[in-house]
Amino acid sequence: MLDRLSPNPGSRRARIRVGRGIGSGRGKTCGRGQKGAGARSGFKRRTWFEGGQMPLARRVPKGGFKNPFRREFQVVNIQSLTRFAEGATVDPKALHEAGLIARPDRPIKILAEGVLQAKLVVRADAVSAAARAKIEAAGGSFEPVSRSEKGKAEAARPS
C-alpha cells in the first residue's frame, strides 16, 4: 500500500518555474530585477549585507569598557564554611578539596552570606568587612594568603 501514499491536499506547493513567459509572472528577468550582481549567476549575498547602506553594526554607537587589570575572585560565602570542623584552618587547598572553589591558585574572596558558629582560621586573598566581623565574632581569624604561597600551590598543581 506504500505505492498509494500521497501528501495531504494543500500540504505541498508546486515549485515556481521561472523564465516561462510573461504570463507566468516570473518571465524575462525571472524575479532577479535588471542588471547588477544579483542578476548574475553565481551571486552570493554576504550575511547582513544591506545593499550598500551603512551596515547596522557600523551605525549603532559603540560603548563599554573592559578593564584589563580586573581581578576576578572565586566567591565563597560564610554559610559554606560551616562544613569545616571547629578550629580548622580554611585555606585555598581545603576549599578546593571541599569542592567550594574550582582552582586553588586563583584569587578567593570570602563574603558574609549566612551564619558562622565554628571558630575557624580563614586564609584567602580578600574578605568583605561584614564577613571578617562574622568570623571574628565566632572567635576565628582571617589571614590574607601571601603571593609566595600561591606560587607554591601553582607549582604543586599537576599540569
Side-chain angles (χ1 to χ4, degrees):
M1 302 282 269
L2 289 174
D3 61 319
R4 295 191 199 147
L5 287 175
S6 64
N8 292 331
S11 67
R12 294 177 63 90
R13 298 179 69 175
R15 71 181 182 89
I16 295 168
R17 298 182 68 224
V18 297
R20 295 296 183 272
I22 59 171
S24 70
R26 285 277 190 268
K28 192 177 167 250
T29 53
C30 309
R32 286 171 167 262
Q34 294 183 27
K35 300 186 185 174
R40 318 280 188 234
S41 67
F43 170 69
K44 289 185 179 75
R45 180 170 280 120
R46 277 193 333 270
T47 312
W48 310 119
F49 182 68
E50 298 185 35
Q53 173 173 287
M54 184 60 67
L56 180 70
R58 291 181 62 194
R59 287 197 309 264
V60 296
K62 307 300 177 279
F65 169 75
K66 270 234 194 292
N67 184 356
F69 304 108
R70 176 170 189 226
R71 283 182 76 198
E72 196 146 335
F73 287 99
Q74 298 176 95
V75 174
V76 178
N77 280 307
I78 288 279
Q79 194 169 353
S80 306
L81 302 181
T82 55
R83 68 182 72 195
F84 293 100
E86 182 83 26
T89 301
V90 180
D91 58 357
K93 189 171 183 272
L95 290 168
H96 179 66
E97 287 168 0
L100 295 173
I101 59 169
R103 303 264 310 258
D105 56 321
R106 297 263 169 90
I108 301 157
K109 184 167 184 172
I110 310 296
L111 298 182
E113 182 76 32
V115 181
L116 182 69
Q117 270 94 29
K119 178 182 174 183
L120 300 171
V121 177
V122 180
R123 305 181 76 227
D125 295 86
V127 66
S128 69
R132 184 189 285 259
K134 286 185 180 184
I135 292 166
E136 289 169 356
S141 63
F142 170 76
E143 297 171 11
V145 174
S146 68
R147 292 234 175 246
S148 59
E149 287 179 42
K150 286 185 81 170
K152 287 178 199 168
E154 205 166 305
R157 199 177 96 235
S159 48

